[in-house]
């Protein structure tokens, strides 16, 4: 059985003292290169992990969490040469981890588990690599562990350390990723999570993360919600029947929450420990949609409103029928509405669910071509203007949630001789590395397009500008994207964040919701991205909230 953590560790006073130190140091270690230099807070972070077997390192993006893990493992390996390390990360970060080990250490061997090996692909390729694993470190992305965690445990043996990079992937206990990581963590001697954004949408995500890394810290989910969540019964219609469903509407006892979390969570913010990092400046570019784009957006809103009215009318008439009102007019209306309602339950109708409707509106706002509608895009026009008039000599990261929209931007770049590269999630690890290096090293490459797949675990500190073509739906994802540019090693004094917003659209609604999520994150973690949403001059819940906002927009037409 895994150890259960239910209180403050005995070593906590020593950890608090260590956190205040600016003179802590390591003893010499044969695995660490002489050229490796650590900042004082990185020494503190590595020592913190040496003193505590399980914790989350929550330093802001760009402060060197990877290096701190590598240093901790180097010293542990020096003490115990049989200790293995498994690093679980996103595909985009695998080779970066390997490069960091090569850069900072000597004598530590690594294996990046790939999906292709000696002409074989898929599980058989991974199986061959498992059988040949003799290295110190196994670097693997999260996908293979879903069904292969037992095989991985077998090759690691009973003496291994486990690192969950961007550990927010285990926030949901209902997922296979959470379960597989939980199984691997049960047998690990040490387990560490890395994330600058353990709170993306709500506190319950923290519970999910710590259920794997520090089991029992917050108790079960029922106890957690009783202690820290404000619940309310919400009346919902499910399959045509009214139901009372408990829903989190707020949080309480945040001071107590921080007290429970603190021993097993170490966070240092950029402005506190790395004053040489570039400052963030935000600029909101408010645009007016083009005429045909406006029409497409109005049609999208009208479709949402029509569907909601039909559903509500059907539920109301269904209640009458269930209560015995069988007169002719009621039954005629019931049959008419039932036919329309059932269309919404077909595979095609289901596509018009809340998420689909919101996504459709966002795609229209980005450009009508994304939904195969005619007309110009206000954002595409502004993108070209920015690149030609203001950002011609800058290094630019452009984030969008929609890989399908990037080809339209590529065409603009090619027509106007703007060199670019991209990381959208369709590339393998080596292709991602080539794209990253092109942006970082090629002086003629002005821009890199990234999606959520490219916004985690990438070092793009050559960038001086980050354009949010559309805003991520969580504050955590926003911070992650900013952290690609605001990193140690940047030569910039400032990084400009440009948020493209079409007036009166979902863009405005999303930005407002993300700003509200920022308030919760700041209450627990402090302001992790000063300037990120400074405009002077749970994911399910945000989808529900956005959908209600969009319905209001539709009703106002």
């Amino acid at each position: 059985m895994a150890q259960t953590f239910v209180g403050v560790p005995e070593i906590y006073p020593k950890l608090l003292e260590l956190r205040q130190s600016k003179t802590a140091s390591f003893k010499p270690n044969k695995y660490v290169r002489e050229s490796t230099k650590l900042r004082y807070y990185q020494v503190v972070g590595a020592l913190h992990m040496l003193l505590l077997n399980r914790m989350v390192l929550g330093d802001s993006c760009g402060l060197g969490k990877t290096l701190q893990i590598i240093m901790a493992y180097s010293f542990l390996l020096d003490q115990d040469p049989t200790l293995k390390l498994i690093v679980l990360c996103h595909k985009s970060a695998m080779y970066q981890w390997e490069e960091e080990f090569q850069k900072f250490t000597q004598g530590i061997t690594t294996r990046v588990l790939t999906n292709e090996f000696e002409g074989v692909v898929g599980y058989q390729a991974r199986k061959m690599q498992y059988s040949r694993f003799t290295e110190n470190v196994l670097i693997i992305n999260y996908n293979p562990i879903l069904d292969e965690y037992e095989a991985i445990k077998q090759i690691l043996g009973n003496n291994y350390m486990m690192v969950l990079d961007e550990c927010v992937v285990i926030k949901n206990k209902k997922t296979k990723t959470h379960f597989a990581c939980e199984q691997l963590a049960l047998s690990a001697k040490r387990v560490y999570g890395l994330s600058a954004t353990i709170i993306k949408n709500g506190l319950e995500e923290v519970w999910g993360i710590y259920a794997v890394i520090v089991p029992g810290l917050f108790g079960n989910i029922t106890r957690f919600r009783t202690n820290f969540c404000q619940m309310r019964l919400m009346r919902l219609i499910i399959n045509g029947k009214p139901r009372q469903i408990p829903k989190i509407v707020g949080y309480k006892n945040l001071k107590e929450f921080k007290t429970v979390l603190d021993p097993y969570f170490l966070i240092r913010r950029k402005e506190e420990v790395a004053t040489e990092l570039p400052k963030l400046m935000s600029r909101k570019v408010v645009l007016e949609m083009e005429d045909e784009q406006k029409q497409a957006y109005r049609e999208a809103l009208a479709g949402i409103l029509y569907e909601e009215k039909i559903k509500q009318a059907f539920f109301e008439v269904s209640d009458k029928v269930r209560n015995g009102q069988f007169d002719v007019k009621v039954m005629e209306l019931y049959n008419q509405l039932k036919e329309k309602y059932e269309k919404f339950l077909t595979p095609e109708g289901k596509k018009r669910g809340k998420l689909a409707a919101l996504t459709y509106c966002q795609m229209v706002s980005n450009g009508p071509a994304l939904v195969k509608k005619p007309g110009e895009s206000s954002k595409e026009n502004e993108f070209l203007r920015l690149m030609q008039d203001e950002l011609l000599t800058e290094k630019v990261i452009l984030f969008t949630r929609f890989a399908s929209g990037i080809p339209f931007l590529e065409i603009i770049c090619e027509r106007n001789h703007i060199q670019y590269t991209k990381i959208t999630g369709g590339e393998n690890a080596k292709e991602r590395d080539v794209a990253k290096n092109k942006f970082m090293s090629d002086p003629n490459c002005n821009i890199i397009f990234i999606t959520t797949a490219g916004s985690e675990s990438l070092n793009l500190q050559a960038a001086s500008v980050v354009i949010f073509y559309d805003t991520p739906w969580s504050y955590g994802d926003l911070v992650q994207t900013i952290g690609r540019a605001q990193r140690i090693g940047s030569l910039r004094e400032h990084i400009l964040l440009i948020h493209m917003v079409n007036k009166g659209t979902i863009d405005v609604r999303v930005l407002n919701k993300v700003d509200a999520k920022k308030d919760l994150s700041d209450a627990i973690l402090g302001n992790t991205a000063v300037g990120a949403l400074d405009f002077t001059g749970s994911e399910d819940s945000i989808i529900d909230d956005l959908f209600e906002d969009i319905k209001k927009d539709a009703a106002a037409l």
Side-chain angles (χ1 to χ4, degrees), residues 456-475:
E456 294 182 332
S457 305
L458 273 179
N459 294 338
L460 300 172
Q461 61 263 55
S464 55
V465 178
V466 181
I467 296 176
F468 288 97
Y469 205 67
D470 45 81
T471 301
W473 285 8
S474 83
Y475 178 62

Side-chain angles (χ1 to χ4, degrees), residues 359-379:
T359 299
Y360 189 88
C361 287
Q362 184 66 75
M363 292 171 76
V364 174
S365 182
N366 284 10
L370 273 71
V371 294
K372 297 181 172 56
K373 295 278 188 178
E376 294 184 14
S377 162
S378 56
K379 291 188 180 182

Side-chain angles (χ1 to χ4, degrees), residues 72-187:
Y73 177 68
S74 298
F75 281 84
L76 290 168
L77 186 64
D78 199 26
Q79 296 171 4
D80 180 2
T82 68
L83 182 68
K84 299 291 186 181
L85 170 63
I86 178 171
V87 176
L88 297 166
C89 61
H90 293 287
K91 286 193 296 184
S92 58
M94 291 196 300
Y95 287 103
Q96 184 175 311
W97 270 96
E98 183 182 48
E99 288 177 5
E100 299 275 285
F101 268 103
Q102 293 170 353
K103 179 179 179 181
F104 296 119
T105 69
Q106 55 194 8
I108 296 180
T109 55
T110 60
R111 176 180 286 271
V112 175
L113 190 81
T114 60
N115 207 42
E116 299 179 18
F117 187 72
E118 295 185 353
V120 181
V121 298
Y123 172 69
Q124 293 302 321
R126 296 192 296 276
K127 186 177 179 182
M128 290 172 63
Q129 293 169 82
Y130 293 149
S131 68
R132 301 184 191 183
F133 176 66
T134 58
E135 293 82 4
N136 303 114
V137 182
L138 178 65
I139 302 168
I140 181 172
N141 79 70
Y142 284 99
N143 290 335
I145 71 164
L146 303 184
D147 300 308
E148 299 167 23
Y149 57 86
E150 289 292 352
I152 295 169
K153 283 170 63 175
Q154 187 172 353
I155 65 168
L156 290 171
N158 59 5
N159 186 30
Y160 64 91
M161 168 176 155
M162 178 177 175
V163 172
L164 298 134
D165 192 11
E166 303 300 348
C167 60
V168 290
V169 300
I170 60 170
K171 65 184 181 182
N172 187 347
K173 189 172 176 65
K174 297 178 181 179
T175 63
K176 291 179 69 175
T177 302
H178 180 103
F179 177 80
C181 289
E182 189 174 45
Q183 296 306 303
L184 282 171
L186 287 174
S187 303

Side-chain angles (χ1 to χ4, degrees), residues 32 42 71 119-120 151-152 247 327 338 355 365 372 407 414 416 431 445 452 526:
V32 179
Q42 293 171 330
M71 290 300 102
V120 181
I152 295 169
K247 182 179 179 181
D327 62 74
K338 181 181 178 183
L355 181 58
S365 182
K372 297 181 172 56
E414 288 165 2
N416 293 277
E431 289 169 339
C445 181
T452 305

